[in-house]
Amino acid sequence: MQALSPSPTSLKSLFKTRPLSHTSRLTPRLAVQCVYRFDSGNFTGVGSSRADWQSSCAILASKVVSQQQDTEKTGNADLASVNGHKTLDLVPIENLPKPLTITDLSPAPMHGAQLRVAYQGVPGAYSEAAAGKAYPNCEAIPCDQFEVAFQAVELWIADRAVLPVENSLGGSIHRNYDLLLRHRLHIVGEVQLPVHHCLLALPGVRKEYLNRVISHPQALAQCEHTLTQLGLNVAREAVDDTAGAAEFVAANNLRDTAAIASARAADLYGLQILADGIQDDSSNVTRFVMLAREPIIPRTDRPFKTSIVFAHDKGTSVLFKVLSAFAFRNISLTKIESRPHRNRPIRLVDDANVGTAKHFEYMFYIDFEASMAEVRAQNALAEVQEFTSFLRVLGSYPMDMTPWCPSRGD
């Protein structure tokens, strides 16, 4: 086996060359790669022995250091020569691309800088406040409909969407549960926002002048008893959102109409607050989910929640078996919701003796307190899959663990 001699030509191959850009500068740290190979099980390198190879590398390194020192003294930014070869290009390590890390692939749940976040409503809506709480310093993008917010993320107009799914007084927002199934976005987080309602009207308007109150249906329901206690014998009309109601009153100069909305909406649209904190219960909280095009990587270092939806061809009799899969593994459920099965709302069962039975078919949504990174959650869903004809994980995401603070003014 013939050894390679340390000629200038072969020494040039000891470096991994890459062209320098016109803005590149030589730095003390250089990417140097030695070439070696295995031939018939024996090492073949520069020189006839390992000692020769090490000696050659040491000589070469000393020449590089010498060239660097000469360059620094003369102020010359380009490397004049290395071992007599003027065409050799060396790449500073700082200019090499850095490898991706798990942080690049899975941003922290609260990361919100420079994000565009879609929400339903107009500025001043509670959804806008939820978007700001979920993603501080984000660019909030108002959408007139819930489905538009879903589409904004799917079409890359927005990076995230923050949408309500349930309220502690009004219950579930069924429309968004249906849209979660229709679209392919993933739940990547949740945020719970205390709701503080105010009765707003144009400046100078008194309560006895009012003929109607407008707001979102949920807001009207959450303030029903308080409005009666205020002696307001007025018509109550539903609109798309709370802040939109405030904007409507201001834009149309309606002196006989009040709106139920936030204190921020009053500031934005120049309205006065006739009554503050008019929700029937101070424990009025709306839960929002954060949606993205890609799921986050589940973790076990903090409390996680997982949301799923499932159905079965044989009706609701499978529900007990599904619940048992979680109970057996000591997994707590925080939410269970049923929605009509859109593709097959009714199942017919014929009985020759009795007749035809008509059963309503449902999709079931469940939230449980466990991360998909946990073995018990994986085993539970494996068992659930045996009982169901359809199963989809909507997301596994960090729980909102912020301290509880009753509703109060902003």
Side-chain angles (χ1 to χ4, degrees):
M1 178 171 57
Q2 184 177 1
L4 298 176
S5 60
S7 64
T9 302
S10 63
L11 289 178
K12 181 178 180 180
S13 65
L14 292 175
F15 294 91
K16 184 178 181 180
T17 61
R18 199 175 300 176
L20 284 171
S21 66
H22 68 281
T23 57
S24 299
R25 293 292 183 268
L26 182 66
T27 60
R29 298 175 58 203
L30 299 173
V32 180
Q33 179 180 0
C34 291
V35 178
Y36 62 92
R37 68 178 184 272
F38 289 91
D39 187 9
S40 302
N42 298 319
F43 172 78
T44 303
V46 179
S48 59
S49 67
R50 181 176 180 85
D52 293 338
W53 173 75
Q54 292 176 331
S55 177
S56 298
C57 287
I59 295 172
L60 197 60
S62 66
K63 290 179 176 289
V64 172
V65 172
S66 176
Q67 291 288 349
Q68 290 179 216
Q69 294 174 347
D70 293 341
T71 302
E72 292 173 357
K73 291 179 180 179
T74 59
N76 186 4
D78 297 323
L79 182 62
S81 64
V82 175
N83 201 29
H85 292 264
K86 298 184 179 181
T87 60
L88 183 63
D89 295 322
L90 299 178
V91 181
I93 289 181
E94 287 78 5
N95 291 347
L96 295 176
K98 295 182 180 179
L100 291 175
T101 66
I102 195 68
T103 305
D104 299 314
L105 300 177
S106 179
M110 296 304 293
H111 173 69
Q114 307 300 321
L115 286 181
R116 297 164 298 171
V117 181
Y119 69 94
Q120 188 274 329
V122 299
Y126 294 107
S127 293
E128 182 192 36
K133 181 179 179 181
Y135 298 103
N137 302 319
C138 71
E139 177 188 352
I141 302 176
C143 303
D144 60 351
Q145 302 291 334
F146 289 129
E147 187 159 12
V148 174
F150 277 85
Q151 294 174 348
V153 179
E154 290 176 329
L155 298 176
W156 294 76
I157 299 172
D159 303 302
R160 302 285 191 274
V162 174
L163 299 171
V165 290
E166 60 180 326
N167 177 267
S168 58
L169 299 182
S172 300
I173 291 89
H174 295 142
R175 176 62 174 164
N176 284 333
Y177 276 99
D178 295 339
L179 290 173
L180 282 172
L181 185 61
R182 181 181 303 176
H183 295 268
R184 302 299 298 181
L185 299 182
H186 303 268
I187 302 177
V188 297
E190 68 172 3
V191 60
Q192 298 180 2
L193 184 74
V195 176
H196 187 87
H197 289 310
C198 300
L199 186 65
L200 311 180
L202 289 172
V205 173
R206 299 169 60 180
K207 288 185 291 186
E208 50 266 29
Y209 298 160
L210 299 176
N211 294 325
R212 64 172 177 168
V213 174
I214 62 174
S215 192
H216 188 274
Q218 289 265 356
L220 291 173
Q222 294 163 15
C223 302
E224 181 178 1
H225 297 300
T226 303
L227 291 177
T228 302
Q229 292 173 359
L230 290 174
L232 295 178
N233 186 19
V234 296
R236 301 169 189 181
E237 298 180 10
V239 295
D240 288 338
D241 60 90
T242 56
E247 182 186 37
F248 182 78
V249 170
N252 294 278
N253 196 32
L254 302 177
R255 304 193 67 83
D256 64 342
T257 303
I260 297 177
S262 65
R264 170 170 162 76
D267 294 336
L268 288 176
Y269 303 112
L271 301 179
Q272 66 170 337
I273 299 177
L274 295 179
D276 193 11
I278 63 172
Q279 61 276 357
D280 295 336
D281 191 334
S282 61
S283 301
N284 184 10
V285 178
T286 298
R287 175 174 169 252
F288 295 79
V289 292
M290 300 135 68
L291 304 175
R293 288 179 291 272
E294 300 294 335
I296 64 172
I297 298 176
R299 293 155 50 180
T300 59
D301 58 344
R302 59 178 298 182
F304 258 62
K305 182 183 292 184
T306 300
S307 298
I308 65 172
V309 56
F310 65 88
H312 193 268
D313 293 336
K314 296 183 179 180
T316 60
S317 60
V318 73
L319 184 58
F320 174 76
K321 297 179 181 179
V322 170
L323 299 180
S324 299
F326 295 103
F328 176 74
R329 294 168 177 85
N330 197 29
I331 297 177
S332 299
L333 304 185
T334 60
K335 173 77 174 179
I336 181 167
E337 180 77 27
S338 62
R339 295 293 298 149
H341 198 308
R342 295 278 180 167
N343 296 331
R344 194 181 61 180
I346 297 179
R347 177 170 56 93
L348 303 179
V349 179
D350 293 325
D351 190 318
N353 298 323
V354 180
T356 301
K358 293 171 281 295
H359 301 282
F360 290 175
E361 293 294 319
Y362 292 95
M363 308 289 293
F364 292 95
Y365 294 80
I366 285 181
D367 295 341
F368 60 87
E369 292 183 350
S371 169
M372 283 304 299
E374 299 180 54
V375 175
R376 61 172 183 155
Q378 298 169 11
N379 292 339
L381 289 192
E383 184 175 342
V384 169
Q385 194 168 20
E386 297 177 2
F387 304 140
T388 59
S389 58
F390 169 78
L391 173 64
R392 177 179 160 192
V393 177
L394 298 173
S396 188
Y397 48 91
M399 295 174 58
D400 184 355
M401 302 298 291
T402 54
W404 165 247
C405 180
S407 169
R408 63 169 183 257
D410 296 337

